[in-house]
């Protein structure tokens, strides 16, 4: 039977821009979720077909969506995946995306609220919540149209916290129709425990959980996030929850939730990297050129590298503070190490993110002012996104610093060891989902403890070459064990062949 797959996500695998002459140009959508899903879909093989439904994010995207009246499919950049963009009203999109998904749900799931002042759920939030519902309904309507117009064997993969309501909305729309779809939802972020989750208004907290439980399977990157979701289902909904124990940090089911007469399986699917493709990209001329420039600038000094977006969860400020403490308490490293900190702008529409970027810039300035000499600049901060330069830095790193406050997975922690030319030491937050698989060979740290992080950086810098290479090789092998094709393939297989 022909196997059909529908993917739904806020951001899609292709975006459009207007050129100077008004013509449309395209580029590939960014982010780890996009890369993982796109690479996985590309491996469907013969007899499979996929369609990707996403929101129009720019004026150019909306022009493309309106030209097709939200109906005809447009070819995406990745392996010919058809993409359907939804022209959601800008006000609805802004309220749903910026005010609910990114200002409320992101902060909740990462446990980042400054609780003396945030969150505050008043009448304005209720209006924003109505927009979030309308946004999810737009996706459910589009998925329903695709589901009822095609052949059977349909599996639907709904992505992330932007679309928590969509599984239940789609399930309700397909109720009673022949050949009902098998639905999966995957959360790429952490999940908050019940005591924190209950900060949401009661009706909102219940609706989010109920929405995800409209799926046949709910997936997470790490067992701790899946377990927290199960805890919330039991505590907030009073659902019947049964649990299983994974034999290791790899994929597998961790429990089942019975609610409203349906059973949803909750499972773990760690996402790794396509090591062969990543290494091939790193051999390209633009990456090699950056590597040469970075090597000349650093000379024979050791390199500490970090590559992040300026998201509050990435903990860049404490990472810089740890480097400052390293130089202050261990003067032997002055002049012998350079920290390359690539912190690319993120969510600049939110005031908190703009302020955080300013804080990063100011601390970087202070570190250089305090420690620089005539022939040594201790810190190089770059805030302009440059993917080839990031790959080059990872290839040259002696130490990779990944210290998020909380992270669903974190692909940089896996990409760095895969790209490393000499083997790198990884200083990794224990709060990253990747810690579940990389803990044995990384130097784990409490992301709030600046002194512990500084100590770990010192240990990593003085690590013997043989130990660093051994650890780096083991980290790279672990990262390559669950490439995107296996990650997505495991989810599809767990949903069965469709109806």
């Amino acid at each position: 039977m022909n196997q059909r797959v529908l993917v739904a996500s806020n951001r899609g695998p292709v975006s459009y821009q207007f050129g100077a002459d008004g013509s449309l140009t395209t580029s590939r959508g960014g982010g780890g979720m996009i890369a993982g899903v796109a690479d996985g879909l590309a491996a469907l093989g013969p007899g499979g077909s996929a369609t990707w439904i996403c929101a129009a994010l720019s004026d150019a995207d909306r022009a493309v969506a309106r030209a097709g009246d939200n109906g005809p499919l447009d070819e995406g950049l990745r392996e010919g995946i058809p993409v359907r963009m939804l022209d959601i009203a800008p006000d609805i999109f802004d309220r749903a995306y910026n005010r609910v998904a990114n200002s409320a749900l992101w902060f909740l799931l990462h446990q980042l609220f400054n609780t003396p002042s945030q969150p505050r759920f008043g009448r304005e939030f209720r209006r924003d919540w109505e927009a979030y519902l309308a946004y999810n309904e737009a996706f459910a309507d589009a998925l329903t149209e695709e589901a009822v117009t095609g052949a059977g064997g349909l599996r639907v993969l709904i992505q992330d916290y932007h679309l928590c309501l969509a599984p239940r909305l789609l399930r309700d729309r397909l109720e009673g129709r022949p050949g009902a779809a098998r639905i999966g939802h995957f959360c790429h972020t952490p999940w908050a425990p019940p005591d924190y989750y209950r900060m949401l208004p009661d009706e909102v907290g219940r609706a989010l959980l109920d929405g995800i439980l409209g799926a046949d399977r709910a997936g997470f990157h790490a067992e701790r996030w899946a377990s927290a979701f199960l805890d919330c289902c039991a505590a907030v909904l009073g659902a019947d929850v049964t649990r299983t124990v994974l034999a290791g940090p790899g994929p597998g089911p961790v429990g089942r939730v019975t609610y409203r007469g349906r059973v949803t399986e909750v499972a773990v699917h760690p996402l790794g990297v396509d090591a062969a493709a990543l290494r091939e990209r790193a051999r390209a001329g633009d990456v090699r050129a950056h590597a040469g420039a970075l090597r000349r600038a650093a000379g024979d000094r050791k390199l500490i590298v970090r590559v992040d977006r300026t998201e509050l969860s990435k903990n860049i400020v404490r990472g810089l503070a740890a480097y400052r403490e390293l130089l202050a308490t261990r003067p032997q490293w002055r002049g012998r190490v350079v920290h390359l900190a690539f912190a690319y702008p993120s969510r600049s529409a939110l005031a908190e993110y703009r302020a955080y970027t300013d804080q990063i810039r100011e601390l970087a300035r202070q570190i250089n002012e305090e420690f620089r000499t005539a022939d040594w600049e201790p810190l190089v901060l770059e805030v302009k996104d440059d993917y080839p330069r990031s790959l080059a830095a990872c290839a040259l790193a002696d130490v990779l610093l990944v210290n998020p406050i909380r992270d669903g997975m974190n692909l940089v922690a896996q990409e760095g060891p895969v790209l490393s030319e000499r083997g790198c030491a990884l200083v990794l937050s224990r709060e990253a989902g990747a810690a579940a698989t990389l803990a044995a060979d990384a130097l784990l740290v409490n992301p709030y403890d600046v002194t512990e992080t500084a100590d770990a950086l010192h240990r990593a810098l003085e690590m013997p070459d043989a130990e660093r290479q051994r650890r780096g090789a083991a980290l790279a092998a672990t990262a390559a064990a669950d490439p995107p094709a296996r990650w997505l393939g495991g989810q599809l297989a767990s949903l069965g062949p469709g109806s």
Side-chain angles (χ1 to χ4, degrees):
M1 180 184 293
N2 181 38
Q3 296 300 306
R4 299 171 58 234
V5 178
L6 297 179
V7 173
S9 63
N10 176 71
R11 185 180 301 275
V14 61
S15 62
Y16 292 87
Q17 302 84 34
F18 286 119
D21 60 355
S23 62
L24 286 169
T25 60
T26 58
S27 61
R28 182 181 178 181
M33 183 277 291
I34 297 297
V37 175
D39 290 347
L41 291 178
L44 278 177
S49 63
T51 298
W52 198 318
I53 297 173
C54 61
L57 303 183
S58 66
D59 290 340
D61 287 349
R62 292 188 182 94
V64 171
R66 286 193 296 270
D69 194 28
N70 271 352
L73 300 176
D74 189 29
E75 288 297 311
L77 294 183
R78 257 327 256 198
E79 314 297 339
I81 301 169
V83 175
R84 175 175 173 176
M85 286 188 170
L86 305 183
D87 181 18
I88 298 170
D91 179 65
I92 295 294
F93 180 85
D94 176 64
R95 287 177 176 272
Y97 179 74
N98 287 317
R99 301 190 192 185
V100 176
N102 287 343
S103 293
L105 300 186
W106 175 271
F107 280 75
L108 176 90
L109 296 175
H110 289 81
Q111 301 179 60
L112 285 176
F113 282 126
N114 179 20
T115 52
S117 59
Q118 293 292 334
R120 185 171 55 198
F121 299 116
R123 288 183 298 171
E124 187 67 20
F125 177 79
R126 264 63 181 191
R127 288 193 287 270
D128 296 338
W129 177 254
E130 290 301 316
Y132 183 81
L133 173 59
Y135 169 91
N136 275 257
E137 285 176 332
F139 273 87
D141 289 342
L143 288 167
T144 302
E145 291 173 13
E146 296 294 334
V148 301
T149 56
L154 178 64
R155 290 167 291 177
V156 182
L157 300 177
I158 298 173
Q159 304 297 308
D160 231 353
Y161 61 100
H162 313 90
L163 294 171
C164 288
L165 305 181
R168 177 68 67 186
L169 293 170
L170 176 60
R171 176 76 61 195
D172 291 345
R173 282 158 172 75
L174 295 178
E175 188 71 31
R177 296 178 183 268
R182 298 280 293 171
I183 302 170
H185 183 277
F186 198 93
C187 188
H188 294 265
T189 66
W191 196 269
D195 285 350
Y196 203 91
Y197 187 83
R198 280 193 168 115
M199 279 194 281
L200 287 172
D202 289 349
E203 70 276 13
V204 171
R206 289 194 299 266
L208 293 169
L209 295 169
D210 176 67
I212 292 175
L213 294 178
D216 296 285
R217 189 174 176 97
F220 298 85
H221 284 303
E223 185 175 6
R224 63 182 300 191
W225 315 138
S227 294
F229 177 77
L230 291 171
D231 291 341
C232 286
C233 290
V236 176
L237 295 179
D240 181 12
V241 172
T242 59
R243 301 171 189 268
T244 58
V245 178
L246 287 174
V254 297
R256 291 186 173 188
V257 181
T258 303
Y259 186 67
R260 292 177 58 181
R262 286 194 55 81
V263 176
T264 300
E265 189 170 58
V266 178
V268 172
H269 294 276
L271 174 61
V273 299
D274 185 336
L278 193 61
R279 288 169 177 147
E280 180 180 1
R281 178 66 183 89
R283 288 192 289 268
D286 55 353
V287 178
R288 305 315 302 169
H290 279 297
L294 292 173
R295 192 179 291 109
R296 288 190 296 273
D300 60 355
R301 300 180 178 95
K302 289 184 177 291
L303 285 178
I304 300 173
V305 172
R306 76 172 304 139
V307 179
D308 287 302
R309 297 186 303 278
T310 53
E311 291 174 353
L312 307 185
S313 63
K314 298 301 182 182
N315 206 25
I316 299 170
V317 168
R318 288 191 186 89
L320 294 179
Y323 180 60
R324 187 182 205 169
E325 186 165 317
L326 171 76
L327 297 180
T329 60
R330 294 178 172 86
Q332 67 267 33
W333 290 116
R334 297 178 196 173
R336 296 177 54 211
V337 64
V338 173
H339 186 11
L340 300 179
F342 297 159
Y344 301 140
S346 176
R347 296 175 183 161
S348 55
L350 300 179
E352 297 95 331
Y353 284 78
R354 296 194 299 272
Y356 191 67
T357 301
D358 291 342
Q359 190 179 358
I360 291 167
R361 291 178 187 270
E362 174 58 20
L363 183 52
R365 184 195 65 77
Q366 292 175 13
I367 291 171
N368 280 329
E369 188 174 273
E370 182 176 354
F371 294 106
R372 72 159 58 94
T373 63
D375 62 351
W376 174 56
E377 190 82 354
L379 173 64
V380 177
L381 173 68
E382 294 287 355
V383 296
K384 182 181 179 182
D385 196 349
D386 190 325
Y387 182 61
R389 181 181 59 193
S390 298
L391 295 181
C394 287
L396 298 176
D398 296 286
V399 180
L400 183 66
L401 174 59
V402 181
N403 68 316
I405 293 171
R406 203 159 281 104
D407 216 337
M409 190 64 185
N410 195 291
L411 290 180
V412 173
Q414 302 179 78
E415 292 169 344
V418 167
L419 291 167
S420 178
E421 295 178 350
R422 305 184 307 277
C424 72
L426 174 63
V427 176
L428 177 64
S429 166
R430 68 191 186 194
E431 299 300 317
T437 56
L438 302 180
D441 300 293
L443 302 178
L444 292 188
V445 296
N446 172 356
Y448 299 97
D449 191 334
V450 170
T451 296
E452 183 184 55
T453 304
D455 292 345
L457 290 174
H458 172 68
R459 287 177 55 203
L461 287 169
E462 68 174 5
M463 188 178 290
D465 290 347
E467 181 183 356
R468 190 185 69 249
Q469 290 164 7
R470 177 191 63 76
R471 285 176 179 257
L475 290 166
T478 300
D482 289 299
R486 181 180 177 187
W487 171 76
L488 194 77
Q491 294 174 65
L492 292 172
S494 70
L495 287 173
S499 302

